[in-house]
Amino acid sequence: MKSLSRIAAVANTETRLASRNRWVLLATLILVLFALALAFLGAGPAGSRGASALTLTAASLATLSVYLIPLIALLLSYETIAGEIERNTLPLVLATPVRRSEILIGKFLGHIAVLSVATVVGYGIAGAAVTLVHGFDPGGALAWTRLIVTGILLGAVFVAIGILVSASTPRVGTAAALLVGIWLLLVVLYDLALLAGLIVDDGGMFTKTIFPLLVVANPGDAFRLFNLAALEASAPVGGIDGLARSLPFPPALALAALAGWLVVMLSAGLARFRRLRP
Amino acid sequence: MTNETLLGVDDLTIAFGSLTALDHVSLSVQKGERLALLGHNGAGKSTLFRAILGFLSLNTGTIRIADAAPGSERARRAVSYLPEAVAFSKALTGSEVITYFARLKGEPPRKALELLETVGIADASKRRVGTYSKGMRQRLGLAQALIGRPDLLLLDEPTSGLDPISRGEFYDLVDRVARQGAAVLLSSHSLTEVEAKTDRVAILSKGRLVAEGRLADLAGAAALPIKVRVRAKGADADALHAKIGGRRLNGRSVELDCGTGDKMAVLSRLAALGDVVADIEIDTPRLDDVYRHYSKPPAPGDAA
């Protein structure tokens, strides 16, 4: 009971800080603007191959989210412990009866709350706009819901990574530099390396057996794969995403991979935080 | 109940690699007592605080807080801490900060918020910390430390950077808390500052406890000489020097050292000199002299 109230106090303070510092507003705006741009600019999803506009936008949003959601999650969380070390409030907090695990969980939940609000409101507004213009269909609505829920899960993984980074360095500046590096590595370079592998291998061993596992092993790719596989044949996909058609395992494994990342990153963050000497 | 030890540090050594931050330090603070910890930057004051809070592993010795181990749940309930140069999130208001820490300490926030009144910043409770002056932030820090009536209050250089009036008010608050039964351990750079504000002082120098006791006793034990400066009439310091000895300061004055015991004897001898003497100034050792005496590094071969 006491433990829960302390976790709530930490989470509450984190969300309050995020909203005071305009992070909630900024994150929501970014998501809604990019989603609307995808829905109404560019090729224009309506009418192609019988798929509904709602479904098609969900498919392109799945790809965009891989870049945006991790970035927002890392931006929300990288400062959370390093900042307290810099301001010298961490020893003060740790001198109270609160446990380190409670602080970490509280901070995690606080950032998830902010991210959830941004994702639900941002994608919700965009989804409603697409529905208003192009009409409603149940399959599309399901795809959007799936996108929002798994998007929050993807964000949770990166919030956990951000907390791990934040607990690993006493300087906010170093944490920020690490965050950029991690984002580039996991979200951009990883995919480029996989594509290079596919080209070199040209349909051989790598493409058939190792490649799908490597895709699922990356949180961003796992998220995209799960969403695109669920859309089945209704949306046109290509590139790495073509894999969604020919998965050698059930798409739920992609979700399990995401959950695995979450558990590992949170545990690593807690281990780092426990060893930290304020 | 008057001799209840709330903090007992015994033979504490803490080393960071080859650097010995604290070297066999022992001290204790009783209920209702205020102990000032003095020392230069890097003397080990903050390290001692961090050890008492259970953040560090001890190389030798023990620490007991209200009969519990440092860092244990019981110890953390008993202790309140105000770190040096703490900066609460600027975006939170004063009452939000207090509410937050009250929740962490498991105390009712409503009661904790009354402390803003106690420290005199109730008017600013709805304003963001970013708008506070340094003195107000330090008061907020103290209010935070007073939540839940702690048994042991640890204040790390709580008045550094405060103006003399804020400083005086700060010590009045500390005094009030001690009278209600809390043990207070606070650190400071300056002995003058804590004079009459604390019951005992402990002086740390390079990790070693070089002196501990009541201020008057320490000054007595240091046995620093009283300096008597005598100004000669007619700028004839040579004649005066020939008569009374001592050190020539300049063309006009001579300085004598004398112990507390023979001050009167020296003065009556000077008075007997008649009109050779124009003026006498008596310079009793000041607290900062006492502090300097104790905190200077031990002479080689003196290390025990």
Side-chain angles (χ1 to χ4, degrees), chain A residues 6 9 13 16-17 20 87-89 91-92 94-96 98 277-278, chain B residues 50 53 55 76 81 84 87-89 91 96 100 103-104 128 144:
Chain A
R6 291 191 291 239
T13 300
R16 182 170 283 150
L17 279 173
R20 292 270 162 85
R87 292 195 308 273
N88 216 7
T89 46
L92 185 48
L94 293 181
T96 70
V98 70
R277 293 197 304 190
Chain B
R50 289 163 69 209
L53 289 164
F55 296 159
R76 288 202 274 172
Y81 176 49
E84 190 186 351
F88 298 109
S89 295
E96 282 167 350
Y100 175 49
R103 294 233 165 91
L104 292 187
R128 294 195 185 179
Q144 170 279 132

PDB file of all heavy atoms in Angstrom, chain A residues 6 9 13 16-17 20 87-89 91-92 94-96 98 277-278, chain B residues 50 53 55 76 81 84 87-89 91 96 100 103-104 128 144:
ATOM      1  N   ARG A   6       3.910   5.501  -2.964  1.00  0.00           N
ATOM      2  CA  ARG A   6       5.181   6.128  -3.334  1.00  0.00           C
ATOM      3  C   ARG A   6       5.404   6.071  -4.846  1.00  0.00           C
ATOM      4  O   ARG A   6       5.857   7.037  -5.452  1.00  0.00           O
ATOM      5  CB  ARG A   6       6.336   5.455  -2.597  1.00  0.00           C
ATOM      6  CG  ARG A   6       6.312   5.738  -1.091  1.00  0.00           C
ATOM      7  CD  ARG A   6       7.577   5.290  -0.430  1.00  0.00           C
ATOM      8  NE  ARG A   6       7.695   3.846  -0.407  1.00  0.00           N
ATOM      9  CZ  ARG A   6       7.819   3.126   0.715  1.00  0.00           C
ATOM     10  NH1 ARG A   6       7.840   3.727   1.891  1.00  0.00           N
ATOM     11  NH2 ARG A   6       7.929   1.828   0.665  1.00  0.00           N
ATOM     12  N   ALA A   9       3.331   8.668  -6.326  1.00  0.00           N
ATOM     13  CA  ALA A   9       3.882  10.010  -6.116  1.00  0.00           C
ATOM     14  C   ALA A   9       4.973  10.311  -7.145  1.00  0.00           C
ATOM     15  O   ALA A   9       5.010  11.407  -7.717  1.00  0.00           O
ATOM     16  CB  ALA A   9       4.445  10.132  -4.701  1.00  0.00           C
ATOM     17  N   THR A  13       4.583  13.076 -10.241  1.00  0.00           N
ATOM     18  CA  THR A  13       5.522  14.183 -10.394  1.00  0.00           C
ATOM     19  C   THR A  13       6.135  14.187 -11.788  1.00  0.00           C
ATOM     20  O   THR A  13       6.303  15.250 -12.398  1.00  0.00           O
ATOM     21  CB  THR A  13       6.617  14.098  -9.320  1.00  0.00           C
ATOM     22  OG1 THR A  13       5.990  14.169  -8.041  1.00  0.00           O
ATOM     23  CG2 THR A  13       7.613  15.231  -9.443  1.00  0.00           C
ATOM     24  N   ARG A  16       3.577  15.469 -14.230  1.00  0.00           N
ATOM     25  CA  ARG A  16       3.369  16.897 -14.014  1.00  0.00           C
ATOM     26  C   ARG A  16       4.513  17.690 -14.643  1.00  0.00           C
ATOM     27  O   ARG A  16       4.293  18.692 -15.331  1.00  0.00           O
ATOM     28  CB  ARG A  16       3.283  17.166 -12.521  1.00  0.00           C
ATOM     29  CG  ARG A  16       3.012  18.606 -12.193  1.00  0.00           C
ATOM     30  CD  ARG A  16       2.688  18.761 -10.741  1.00  0.00           C
ATOM     31  NE  ARG A  16       1.336  18.347 -10.421  1.00  0.00           N
ATOM     32  CZ  ARG A  16       0.978  17.838  -9.255  1.00  0.00           C
ATOM     33  NH1 ARG A  16       1.877  17.634  -8.325  1.00  0.00           N
ATOM     34  NH2 ARG A  16      -0.271  17.518  -9.030  1.00  0.00           N
ATOM     35  N   LEU A  17       5.744  17.207 -14.413  1.00  0.00           N
ATOM     36  CA  LEU A  17       6.908  17.894 -14.991  1.00  0.00           C
ATOM     37  C   LEU A  17       6.836  17.884 -16.511  1.00  0.00           C
ATOM     38  O   LEU A  17       7.118  18.883 -17.162  1.00  0.00           O
ATOM     39  CB  LEU A  17       8.200  17.223 -14.524  1.00  0.00           C
ATOM     40  CG  LEU A  17       8.676  17.614 -13.135  1.00  0.00           C
ATOM     41  CD1 LEU A  17       9.857  16.758 -12.718  1.00  0.00           C
ATOM     42  CD2 LEU A  17       9.066  19.090 -13.117  1.00  0.00           C
ATOM     43  N   ARG A  20       4.273  20.413 -17.584  1.00  0.00           N
ATOM     44  CA  ARG A  20       4.742  21.789 -17.353  1.00  0.00           C
ATOM     45  C   ARG A  20       5.808  22.175 -18.376  1.00  0.00           C
ATOM     46  O   ARG A  20       5.868  23.315 -18.832  1.00  0.00           O
ATOM     47  CB  ARG A  20       5.371  21.909 -15.963  1.00  0.00           C
ATOM     48  CG  ARG A  20       4.428  21.761 -14.828  1.00  0.00           C
ATOM     49  CD  ARG A  20       3.838  23.094 -14.402  1.00  0.00           C
ATOM     50  NE  ARG A  20       2.649  22.869 -13.603  1.00  0.00           N
ATOM     51  CZ  ARG A  20       2.663  22.638 -12.304  1.00  0.00           C
ATOM     52  NH1 ARG A  20       3.806  22.635 -11.659  1.00  0.00           N
ATOM     53  NH2 ARG A  20       1.557  22.419 -11.649  1.00  0.00           N
ATOM     54  N   ARG A  87      21.117  17.916 -10.491  1.00  0.00           N
ATOM     55  CA  ARG A  87      20.492  18.899  -9.600  1.00  0.00           C
ATOM     56  C   ARG A  87      20.677  18.558  -8.136  1.00  0.00           C
ATOM     57  O   ARG A  87      20.237  19.294  -7.263  1.00  0.00           O
ATOM     58  CB  ARG A  87      18.996  19.012  -9.923  1.00  0.00           C
ATOM     59  CG  ARG A  87      18.690  19.621 -11.268  1.00  0.00           C
ATOM     60  CD  ARG A  87      17.227  20.032 -11.344  1.00  0.00           C
ATOM     61  NE  ARG A  87      16.351  18.938 -10.966  1.00  0.00           N
ATOM     62  CZ  ARG A  87      15.900  18.018 -11.803  1.00  0.00           C
ATOM     63  NH1 ARG A  87      16.224  18.078 -13.049  1.00  0.00           N
ATOM     64  NH2 ARG A  87      15.119  17.051 -11.382  1.00  0.00           N
ATOM     65  N   ASN A  88      21.294  17.399  -7.865  1.00  0.00           N
ATOM     66  CA  ASN A  88      21.560  16.958  -6.495  1.00  0.00           C
ATOM     67  C   ASN A  88      20.287  16.619  -5.722  1.00  0.00           C
ATOM     68  O   ASN A  88      20.272  16.665  -4.496  1.00  0.00           O
ATOM     69  CB  ASN A  88      22.384  17.999  -5.725  1.00  0.00           C
ATOM     70  CG  ASN A  88      23.361  17.326  -4.785  1.00  0.00           C
ATOM     71  OD1 ASN A  88      23.511  16.102  -4.812  1.00  0.00           O
ATOM     72  ND2 ASN A  88      24.012  18.096  -3.947  1.00  0.00           N
ATOM     73  N   THR A  89      19.206  16.313  -6.426  1.00  0.00           N
ATOM     74  CA  THR A  89      17.992  15.908  -5.715  1.00  0.00           C
ATOM     75  C   THR A  89      17.964  14.400  -5.496  1.00  0.00           C
ATOM     76  O   THR A  89      17.200  13.918  -4.659  1.00  0.00           O
ATOM     77  CB  THR A  89      16.715  16.306  -6.482  1.00  0.00           C
ATOM     78  OG1 THR A  89      16.878  15.956  -7.849  1.00  0.00           O
ATOM     79  CG2 THR A  89      16.449  17.783  -6.371  1.00  0.00           C
ATOM     80  N   PRO A  91      20.202  12.254  -4.075  1.00  0.00           N
ATOM     81  CA  PRO A  91      20.496  11.816  -2.702  1.00  0.00           C
ATOM     82  C   PRO A  91      19.354  12.144  -1.746  1.00  0.00           C
ATOM     83  O   PRO A  91      19.075  11.383  -0.815  1.00  0.00           O
ATOM     84  CB  PRO A  91      21.763  12.589  -2.325  1.00  0.00           C
ATOM     85  CG  PRO A  91      22.055  13.515  -3.416  1.00  0.00           C
ATOM     86  CD  PRO A  91      21.257  13.118  -4.617  1.00  0.00           C
ATOM     87  N   LEU A  92      18.704  13.246  -2.001  1.00  0.00           N
ATOM     88  CA  LEU A  92      17.581  13.655  -1.159  1.00  0.00           C
ATOM     89  C   LEU A  92      16.437  12.643  -1.259  1.00  0.00           C
ATOM     90  O   LEU A  92      15.864  12.213  -0.256  1.00  0.00           O
ATOM     91  CB  LEU A  92      17.130  15.037  -1.640  1.00  0.00           C
ATOM     92  CG  LEU A  92      16.052  15.769  -0.896  1.00  0.00           C
ATOM     93  CD1 LEU A  92      16.323  15.752   0.571  1.00  0.00           C
ATOM     94  CD2 LEU A  92      16.018  17.202  -1.391  1.00  0.00           C
ATOM     95  N   LEU A  94      16.704   9.533  -2.320  1.00  0.00           N
ATOM     96  CA  LEU A  94      17.129   8.219  -1.837  1.00  0.00           C
ATOM     97  C   LEU A  94      17.287   8.182  -0.325  1.00  0.00           C
ATOM     98  O   LEU A  94      17.380   7.102   0.265  1.00  0.00           O
ATOM     99  CB  LEU A  94      18.448   7.815  -2.510  1.00  0.00           C
ATOM    100  CG  LEU A  94      18.345   7.566  -4.009  1.00  0.00           C
ATOM    101  CD1 LEU A  94      19.691   7.153  -4.580  1.00  0.00           C
ATOM    102  CD2 LEU A  94      17.299   6.503  -4.306  1.00  0.00           C
ATOM    103  N   ALA A  95      17.327   9.354   0.318  1.00  0.00           N
ATOM    104  CA  ALA A  95      17.415   9.381   1.780  1.00  0.00           C
ATOM    105  C   ALA A  95      16.059   9.099   2.414  1.00  0.00           C
ATOM    106  O   ALA A  95      15.975   8.772   3.589  1.00  0.00           O
ATOM    107  CB  ALA A  95      17.948  10.729   2.255  1.00  0.00           C
ATOM    108  N   THR A  96      14.992   9.221   1.634  1.00  0.00           N
ATOM    109  CA  THR A  96      13.656   8.939   2.166  1.00  0.00           C
ATOM    110  C   THR A  96      13.415   7.428   2.111  1.00  0.00           C
ATOM    111  O   THR A  96      14.186   6.701   1.493  1.00  0.00           O
ATOM    112  CB  THR A  96      12.567   9.656   1.338  1.00  0.00           C
ATOM    113  OG1 THR A  96      12.490   9.008   0.060  1.00  0.00           O
ATOM    114  CG2 THR A  96      12.883  11.117   1.141  1.00  0.00           C
ATOM    115  N   VAL A  98      11.689   5.653   0.368  1.00  0.00           N
ATOM    116  CA  VAL A  98      11.322   5.082  -0.940  1.00  0.00           C
ATOM    117  C   VAL A  98      12.406   4.115  -1.418  1.00  0.00           C
ATOM    118  O   VAL A  98      13.593   4.332  -1.196  1.00  0.00           O
ATOM    119  CB  VAL A  98      11.090   6.218  -1.971  1.00  0.00           C
ATOM    120  CG1 VAL A  98      12.382   6.909  -2.349  1.00  0.00           C
ATOM    121  CG2 VAL A  98      10.396   5.694  -3.209  1.00  0.00           C
ATOM    122  N   ARG A 277      25.822   5.127  -6.806  1.00  0.00           N
ATOM    123  CA  ARG A 277      26.082   5.689  -5.473  1.00  0.00           C
ATOM    124  C   ARG A 277      25.962   7.202  -5.535  1.00  0.00           C
ATOM    125  O   ARG A 277      26.825   7.863  -6.101  1.00  0.00           O
ATOM    126  CB  ARG A 277      27.481   5.292  -4.985  1.00  0.00           C
ATOM    127  CG  ARG A 277      27.581   3.803  -4.719  1.00  0.00           C
ATOM    128  CD  ARG A 277      28.780   3.494  -3.876  1.00  0.00           C
ATOM    129  NE  ARG A 277      30.006   3.998  -4.491  1.00  0.00           N
ATOM    130  CZ  ARG A 277      31.206   3.685  -4.048  1.00  0.00           C
ATOM    131  NH1 ARG A 277      31.347   2.907  -3.008  1.00  0.00           N
ATOM    132  NH2 ARG A 277      32.264   4.163  -4.641  1.00  0.00           N
ATOM    133  N   PRO A 278      24.872   7.744  -5.006  1.00  0.00           N
ATOM    134  CA  PRO A 278      24.653   9.181  -5.137  1.00  0.00           C
ATOM    135  C   PRO A 278      25.691   9.994  -4.343  1.00  0.00           C
ATOM    136  O   PRO A 278      26.190   9.518  -3.361  1.00  0.00           O
ATOM    137  CB  PRO A 278      23.268   9.380  -4.565  1.00  0.00           C
ATOM    138  CG  PRO A 278      23.063   8.242  -3.652  1.00  0.00           C
ATOM    139  CD  PRO A 278      23.843   7.094  -4.200  1.00  0.00           C
TER     140      PRO A 278
ATOM    141  N   ARG B  50      27.033  11.084   3.393  1.00  0.00           N
ATOM    142  CA  ARG B  50      26.612  10.018   2.472  1.00  0.00           C
ATOM    143  C   ARG B  50      26.748   8.652   3.128  1.00  0.00           C
ATOM    144  O   ARG B  50      25.936   7.761   2.886  1.00  0.00           O
ATOM    145  CB  ARG B  50      27.427  10.093   1.180  1.00  0.00           C
ATOM    146  CG  ARG B  50      27.042  11.299   0.336  1.00  0.00           C
ATOM    147  CD  ARG B  50      28.101  11.607  -0.713  1.00  0.00           C
ATOM    148  NE  ARG B  50      28.140  10.585  -1.743  1.00  0.00           N
ATOM    149  CZ  ARG B  50      29.232  10.270  -2.432  1.00  0.00           C
ATOM    150  NH1 ARG B  50      30.363  10.904  -2.186  1.00  0.00           N
ATOM    151  NH2 ARG B  50      29.187   9.342  -3.346  1.00  0.00           N
ATOM    152  N   LEU B  53      23.862   8.107   5.413  1.00  0.00           N
ATOM    153  CA  LEU B  53      22.633   7.804   4.674  1.00  0.00           C
ATOM    154  C   LEU B  53      22.656   6.405   4.072  1.00  0.00           C
ATOM    155  O   LEU B  53      21.678   5.958   3.493  1.00  0.00           O
ATOM    156  CB  LEU B  53      22.445   8.836   3.558  1.00  0.00           C
ATOM    157  CG  LEU B  53      22.078  10.219   4.072  1.00  0.00           C
ATOM    158  CD1 LEU B  53      22.279  11.265   2.993  1.00  0.00           C
ATOM    159  CD2 LEU B  53      20.646  10.225   4.562  1.00  0.00           C
ATOM    160  N   PHE B  55      24.723   5.330   1.618  1.00  0.00           N
ATOM    161  CA  PHE B  55      25.043   5.302   0.195  1.00  0.00           C
ATOM    162  C   PHE B  55      26.405   4.665  -0.073  1.00  0.00           C
ATOM    163  O   PHE B  55      26.719   4.311  -1.200  1.00  0.00           O
ATOM    164  CB  PHE B  55      25.064   6.722  -0.387  1.00  0.00           C
ATOM    165  CG  PHE B  55      23.732   7.413  -0.352  1.00  0.00           C
ATOM    166  CD1 PHE B  55      23.648   8.797  -0.416  1.00  0.00           C
ATOM    167  CD2 PHE B  55      22.548   6.692  -0.265  1.00  0.00           C
ATOM    168  CE1 PHE B  55      22.431   9.445  -0.391  1.00  0.00           C
ATOM    169  CE2 PHE B  55      21.325   7.334  -0.238  1.00  0.00           C
ATOM    170  CZ  PHE B  55      21.265   8.709  -0.297  1.00  0.00           C
ATOM    171  N   ARG B  76      16.081   5.129   7.591  1.00  0.00           N
ATOM    172  CA  ARG B  76      15.612   6.131   6.636  1.00  0.00           C
ATOM    173  C   ARG B  76      14.355   6.842   7.132  1.00  0.00           C
ATOM    174  O   ARG B  76      14.096   7.981   6.755  1.00  0.00           O
ATOM    175  CB  ARG B  76      15.370   5.487   5.271  1.00  0.00           C
ATOM    176  CG  ARG B  76      16.696   5.136   4.605  1.00  0.00           C
ATOM    177  CD  ARG B  76      16.559   5.004   3.133  1.00  0.00           C
ATOM    178  NE  ARG B  76      16.155   3.673   2.748  1.00  0.00           N
ATOM    179  CZ  ARG B  76      15.814   3.350   1.503  1.00  0.00           C
ATOM    180  NH1 ARG B  76      15.832   4.252   0.567  1.00  0.00           N
ATOM    181  NH2 ARG B  76      15.464   2.125   1.214  1.00  0.00           N
ATOM    182  N   TYR B  81      17.383  14.617   5.355  1.00  0.00           N
ATOM    183  CA  TYR B  81      18.637  15.077   4.772  1.00  0.00           C
ATOM    184  C   TYR B  81      18.388  16.297   3.917  1.00  0.00           C
ATOM    185  O   TYR B  81      17.403  16.372   3.188  1.00  0.00           O
ATOM    186  CB  TYR B  81      19.217  13.934   3.931  1.00  0.00           C
ATOM    187  CG  TYR B  81      20.475  14.226   3.163  1.00  0.00           C
ATOM    188  CD1 TYR B  81      21.561  14.834   3.768  1.00  0.00           C
ATOM    189  CD2 TYR B  81      20.582  13.841   1.833  1.00  0.00           C
ATOM    190  CE1 TYR B  81      22.723  15.073   3.054  1.00  0.00           C
ATOM    191  CE2 TYR B  81      21.743  14.066   1.117  1.00  0.00           C
ATOM    192  CZ  TYR B  81      22.818  14.683   1.737  1.00  0.00           C
ATOM    193  OH  TYR B  81      23.961  14.905   1.020  1.00  0.00           O
ATOM    194  N   GLU B  84      23.831  19.614   0.047  1.00  0.00           N
ATOM    195  CA  GLU B  84      24.394  20.895  -0.340  1.00  0.00           C
ATOM    196  C   GLU B  84      23.910  21.235  -1.745  1.00  0.00           C
ATOM    197  O   GLU B  84      23.809  20.366  -2.592  1.00  0.00           O
ATOM    198  CB  GLU B  84      25.917  20.709  -0.331  1.00  0.00           C
ATOM    199  CG  GLU B  84      26.697  21.960  -0.481  1.00  0.00           C
ATOM    200  CD  GLU B  84      28.174  21.631  -0.618  1.00  0.00           C
ATOM    201  OE1 GLU B  84      28.552  20.466  -0.421  1.00  0.00           O
ATOM    202  OE2 GLU B  84      28.928  22.554  -0.932  1.00  0.00           O
ATOM    203  N   ALA B  87      18.811  21.564  -5.987  1.00  0.00           N
ATOM    204  CA  ALA B  87      17.990  22.392  -6.867  1.00  0.00           C
ATOM    205  C   ALA B  87      16.723  21.625  -7.229  1.00  0.00           C
ATOM    206  O   ALA B  87      16.755  20.743  -8.075  1.00  0.00           O
ATOM    207  CB  ALA B  87      18.774  22.750  -8.122  1.00  0.00           C
ATOM    208  N   PHE B  88      15.641  21.935  -6.554  1.00  0.00           N
ATOM    209  CA  PHE B  88      14.378  21.272  -6.881  1.00  0.00           C
ATOM    210  C   PHE B  88      13.938  21.678  -8.283  1.00  0.00           C
ATOM    211  O   PHE B  88      14.296  22.760  -8.764  1.00  0.00           O
ATOM    212  CB  PHE B  88      13.292  21.669  -5.876  1.00  0.00           C
ATOM    213  CG  PHE B  88      13.606  21.259  -4.472  1.00  0.00           C
ATOM    214  CD1 PHE B  88      13.946  22.189  -3.511  1.00  0.00           C
ATOM    215  CD2 PHE B  88      13.582  19.925  -4.114  1.00  0.00           C
ATOM    216  CE1 PHE B  88      14.251  21.806  -2.221  1.00  0.00           C
ATOM    217  CE2 PHE B  88      13.885  19.527  -2.829  1.00  0.00           C
ATOM    218  CZ  PHE B  88      14.218  20.466  -1.882  1.00  0.00           C
ATOM    219  N   SER B  89      13.151  20.815  -8.921  1.00  0.00           N
ATOM    220  CA  SER B  89      12.678  21.106 -10.273  1.00  0.00           C
ATOM    221  C   SER B  89      12.023  22.484 -10.309  1.00  0.00           C
ATOM    222  O   SER B  89      11.108  22.768  -9.544  1.00  0.00           O
ATOM    223  CB  SER B  89      11.658  20.063 -10.711  1.00  0.00           C
ATOM    224  OG  SER B  89      12.281  18.826 -10.810  1.00  0.00           O
ATOM    225  N   ALA B  91      10.062  23.740 -12.348  1.00  0.00           N
ATOM    226  CA  ALA B  91       8.698  23.797 -12.861  1.00  0.00           C
ATOM    227  C   ALA B  91       7.655  23.427 -11.813  1.00  0.00           C
ATOM    228  O   ALA B  91       6.470  23.592 -12.045  1.00  0.00           O
ATOM    229  CB  ALA B  91       8.564  22.877 -14.076  1.00  0.00           C
ATOM    230  N   GLU B  96       3.969  21.642  -4.206  1.00  0.00           N
ATOM    231  CA  GLU B  96       4.086  20.360  -4.917  1.00  0.00           C
ATOM    232  C   GLU B  96       5.333  19.608  -4.479  1.00  0.00           C
ATOM    233  O   GLU B  96       5.316  18.384  -4.331  1.00  0.00           O
ATOM    234  CB  GLU B  96       4.104  20.592  -6.432  1.00  0.00           C
ATOM    235  CG  GLU B  96       2.724  20.855  -6.999  1.00  0.00           C
ATOM    236  CD  GLU B  96       2.751  21.398  -8.424  1.00  0.00           C
ATOM    237  OE1 GLU B  96       3.841  21.746  -8.919  1.00  0.00           O
ATOM    238  OE2 GLU B  96       1.681  21.490  -9.025  1.00  0.00           O
ATOM    239  N   TYR B 100       5.180  16.006  -2.657  1.00  0.00           N
ATOM    240  CA  TYR B 100       5.929  14.887  -3.228  1.00  0.00           C
ATOM    241  C   TYR B 100       6.764  14.193  -2.147  1.00  0.00           C
ATOM    242  O   TYR B 100       6.686  12.972  -1.965  1.00  0.00           O
ATOM    243  CB  TYR B 100       6.822  15.421  -4.356  1.00  0.00           C
ATOM    244  CG  TYR B 100       7.767  14.431  -4.982  1.00  0.00           C
ATOM    245  CD1 TYR B 100       7.310  13.183  -5.409  1.00  0.00           C
ATOM    246  CD2 TYR B 100       9.108  14.739  -5.170  1.00  0.00           C
ATOM    247  CE1 TYR B 100       8.190  12.284  -5.998  1.00  0.00           C
ATOM    248  CE2 TYR B 100       9.979  13.852  -5.761  1.00  0.00           C
ATOM    249  CZ  TYR B 100       9.519  12.616  -6.175  1.00  0.00           C
ATOM    250  OH  TYR B 100      10.382  11.730  -6.758  1.00  0.00           O
ATOM    251  N   ARG B 103       4.759  12.305   0.459  1.00  0.00           N
ATOM    252  CA  ARG B 103       4.298  10.999  -0.019  1.00  0.00           C
ATOM    253  C   ARG B 103       5.429   9.986   0.019  1.00  0.00           C
ATOM    254  O   ARG B 103       5.226   8.835   0.406  1.00  0.00           O
ATOM    255  CB  ARG B 103       3.771  11.121  -1.447  1.00  0.00           C
ATOM    256  CG  ARG B 103       2.522  11.957  -1.546  1.00  0.00           C
ATOM    257  CD  ARG B 103       1.390  11.207  -2.271  1.00  0.00           C
ATOM    258  NE  ARG B 103       0.112  11.867  -2.053  1.00  0.00           N
ATOM    259  CZ  ARG B 103      -0.371  12.811  -2.857  1.00  0.00           C
ATOM    260  NH1 ARG B 103       0.298  13.170  -3.929  1.00  0.00           N
ATOM    261  NH2 ARG B 103      -1.531  13.358  -2.603  1.00  0.00           N
ATOM    262  N   LEU B 104       6.625  10.418  -0.391  1.00  0.00           N
ATOM    263  CA  LEU B 104       7.763   9.490  -0.360  1.00  0.00           C
ATOM    264  C   LEU B 104       8.053   9.045   1.067  1.00  0.00           C
ATOM    265  O   LEU B 104       8.477   7.921   1.305  1.00  0.00           O
ATOM    266  CB  LEU B 104       9.019  10.143  -0.951  1.00  0.00           C
ATOM    267  CG  LEU B 104       9.031  10.444  -2.439  1.00  0.00           C
ATOM    268  CD1 LEU B 104      10.403  10.927  -2.872  1.00  0.00           C
ATOM    269  CD2 LEU B 104       8.641   9.218  -3.254  1.00  0.00           C
ATOM    270  N   ARG B 128       6.100  28.755  -8.595  1.00  0.00           N
ATOM    271  CA  ARG B 128       7.083  27.773  -9.021  1.00  0.00           C
ATOM    272  C   ARG B 128       8.438  28.052  -8.372  1.00  0.00           C
ATOM    273  O   ARG B 128       8.798  29.214  -8.168  1.00  0.00           O
ATOM    274  CB  ARG B 128       7.228  27.791 -10.537  1.00  0.00           C
ATOM    275  CG  ARG B 128       5.948  27.337 -11.182  1.00  0.00           C
ATOM    276  CD  ARG B 128       6.119  26.991 -12.621  1.00  0.00           C
ATOM    277  NE  ARG B 128       4.815  26.668 -13.184  1.00  0.00           N
ATOM    278  CZ  ARG B 128       4.626  26.344 -14.438  1.00  0.00           C
ATOM    279  NH1 ARG B 128       5.641  26.295 -15.266  1.00  0.00           N
ATOM    280  NH2 ARG B 128       3.420  26.051 -14.871  1.00  0.00           N
ATOM    281  N   GLN B 144      11.244  20.599   3.685  1.00  0.00           N
ATOM    282  CA  GLN B 144      11.269  19.214   3.211  1.00  0.00           C
ATOM    283  C   GLN B 144      11.921  18.305   4.238  1.00  0.00           C
ATOM    284  O   GLN B 144      11.434  17.208   4.520  1.00  0.00           O
ATOM    285  CB  GLN B 144      12.011  19.185   1.873  1.00  0.00           C
ATOM    286  CG  GLN B 144      12.345  17.823   1.331  1.00  0.00           C
ATOM    287  CD  GLN B 144      13.592  17.239   1.969  1.00  0.00           C
ATOM    288  OE1 GLN B 144      13.605  16.087   2.388  1.00  0.00           O
ATOM    289  NE2 GLN B 144      14.632  18.035   2.102  1.00  0.00           N
TER     290      GLN B 144
END
